[in-house]
């Protein structure tokens, strides 16, 4: 009997060792495949621009003015390209953004070029540079590559060209190895540097491979701790939901004025006003709303309060802008509330560029549905998120709201001024009205008026105020 028991124990030990060996081997394969997948994804983005190189050879010998339109069209059609620059005779010759008004900086020495500070954005940038010969080439500034580094579940991942490094959060640094493992691309002169995080990678491996024993173990642990933590985990959810139901999250409005400083409308901004009178900024609760899936409920509450605030109004030119998400656009209740509100005033629904629309055909159809009841559409924070030109190409907007970051720089940054001039030209050609956000001083006001951007929003005129106070100010003005 003792022999049988010992034989059973030995068998269990051997099976455990084999199982452990198989798991370790598969785990190493998992780590390598994830790294190689990221390398391939980045290579694919460079492949997409590399195939465009030959398409632009015909531009050689043309003027910058002749180059601008094809360069801009390519940027509009390519979600991964931020801008394109043409190099001729060893110098920057033409840019898809600022034309021939381009800096005389030295041309890139590497195929994959990493720069600490882009002159236009002020942030680190990555570009792909193709040399036609020693003095001529074309440079594609990329916009999505840093995002590939954000979701690494194996540890801290960075991209290097052996000279400089871009890491998570678009952080720039000098290429100095500090224990990172190097994974090189076979097609382009870049490497991925991985500072390995064993615990994070093991967790990712467990989730991705659905190991039954581990899942059961995790479930048993969760069953032990869940009763004591469930209330704490859901407290914020119930607190926010209660605030919505009690209309504690209310519409504040920041007026929009014309060149004569007459109020022509306002942007609705959510504020959480607690019973004690404390006002909580949306920066503190909107992320929680998104996390708990409460944005739709909050939007309905805001629209209901607007309808109630304008119940005695019957048709006016006053433009009231409300921020909306793509999912809210598909909500039948929100459509009904917008229909009611649009009978009383001009309702403008604002979309931001922070998240890309998921379904182009569906959102176009729903935008037409809302337009049929008199609703207008605005593109908010223009120039800061996903491809602005693609948005204007795919969707019909009535207004463009120029982001505050461009307005802040127009007094000191000639590049920002050039970009504004191009935005104005584009908007005029597309018959889109412009609104400048974040106007804070008289110099900005005068420059914007000279540029014929006549609709302004900012602290120079008004800070956000309650809906009641906004209506009083509108009547007084």
């Amino acid at each position: 009997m003792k022999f049988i028991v010992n034989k059973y124990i030995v068998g269990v030990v051997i099976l455990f060792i084999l199982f452990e060996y198989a798991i370790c081997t598969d785990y190493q394969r998992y780590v390598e495949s994830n790294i190689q997948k990221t390398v391939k994804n980045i290579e694919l983005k460079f492949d997409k621009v590399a195939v465009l190189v030959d398409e632009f050879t015909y531009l050689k010998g043309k003027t910058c003015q002749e180059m601008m339109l094809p360069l801009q069209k390519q940027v509009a059609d390519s979600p991964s390209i931020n801008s394109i620059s043409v190099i001729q005779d060893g110098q920057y010759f033409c840019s898809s953004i600022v034309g021939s008004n381009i800096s005389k900086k030295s041309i890139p020495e590497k195929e994959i070029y990493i720069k600490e500070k882009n002159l236009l954005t002020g942030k680190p940038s990555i570009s792909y540079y193709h040399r036609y010969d020693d003095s001529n080439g074309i440079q594609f500034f990329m916009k999505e590559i840093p995002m590939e580094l954000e979701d690494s579940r194996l540890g801290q991942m960075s991209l290097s060209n052996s000279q400089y490094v871009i890491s998570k959060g678009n952080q720039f640094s000098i290429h100095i190895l500090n224990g990172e493992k190097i994974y090189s691309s076979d097609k382009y002169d870049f490497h991925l540097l991985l500072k390995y995080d064993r615990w994070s990678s093991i967790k990712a491996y467990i989730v991705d491979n659905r190991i039954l024993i581990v899942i059961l173990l995790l479930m048993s642990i969760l069953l032990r701790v869940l009763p004591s933590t469930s209330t704490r985990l859901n407290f914020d959810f119930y607190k926010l939901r209660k605030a919505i139901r009690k209309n504690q999250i209310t519409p504040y409005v920041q007026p929009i004025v014309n060149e004569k400083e007459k109020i022509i409308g306002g942007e609705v901004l959510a504020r959480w006003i607690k019973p004690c009178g404390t006002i909580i900024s949306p920066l503190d609760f909107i992320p929680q709303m998104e996390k708990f899936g409460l944005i739709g409920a909050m939007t309905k509450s805001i629209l209901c309060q607007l309808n109630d605030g304008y119940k005695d109004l019957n048709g006016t030119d006053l433009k009231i802008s409300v921020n909306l998400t793509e999912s809210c656009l598909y909500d039948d209740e929100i459509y009904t509330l917008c229909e009611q509100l649009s009978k009383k005033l001009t309702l403008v629904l604002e979309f931001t560029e922070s998240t890309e629309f998921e379904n182009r055909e569906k959102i176009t159809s729903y935008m037409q549905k809302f337009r049929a009841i008199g609703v207008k559409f605005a593109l908010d924070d223009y120039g800061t998120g996903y491809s602005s030109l693609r948005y204007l190409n795919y969707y019909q907007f009535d207004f463009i709201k120029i982001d505050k970051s461009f307005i802040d720089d127009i007094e000191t940054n000639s590049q920002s001024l050039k970009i504004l001039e191009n935005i104005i030209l584009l908007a005029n050609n597309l018959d889109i009205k412009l609104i400048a956000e974040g106007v804070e001083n008289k110099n900005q006001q005068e420059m914007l008026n000279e540029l014929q951007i006549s609709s302004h929003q900012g602290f120079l005129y008004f800070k956000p105020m309650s809906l009641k106070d906004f209506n009083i100010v509108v009547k007084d003005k």
Side-chain angles (χ1 to χ4, degrees), residues 127-163:
S127 61
Y128 169 78
Y129 177 57
H130 176 83
R131 293 178 183 270
Y132 292 120
D133 53 45
D134 290 342
S135 302
N136 300 282
I138 188 165
Q139 187 175 12
F140 299 84
F141 290 86
M142 314 296 290
K143 67 165 33 175
E144 293 181 348
I145 289 175
M147 297 301 295
E148 294 290 338
L149 309 175
E150 297 287 341
D151 194 32
S152 173
R153 297 176 297 169
L154 306 177
Q156 183 178 336
M157 193 178 294
S158 306
L159 184 145
S160 169
N161 65 353
S162 299
Q163 184 179 14

Side-chain angles (χ1 to χ4, degrees), residues 406-413 416-417 420 444 447-448:
F406 291 106
I407 307 303
D408 288 341
D409 289 346
I410 59 173
E411 298 172 87
T412 57
N413 189 336
S416 289
L417 192 58
L420 271 180
Q444 292 173 348
M447 293 182 72
L448 290 168

Side-chain angles (χ1 to χ4, degrees), residues 101 164 182 227:
N101 295 287
Y164 302 115
I182 301 176

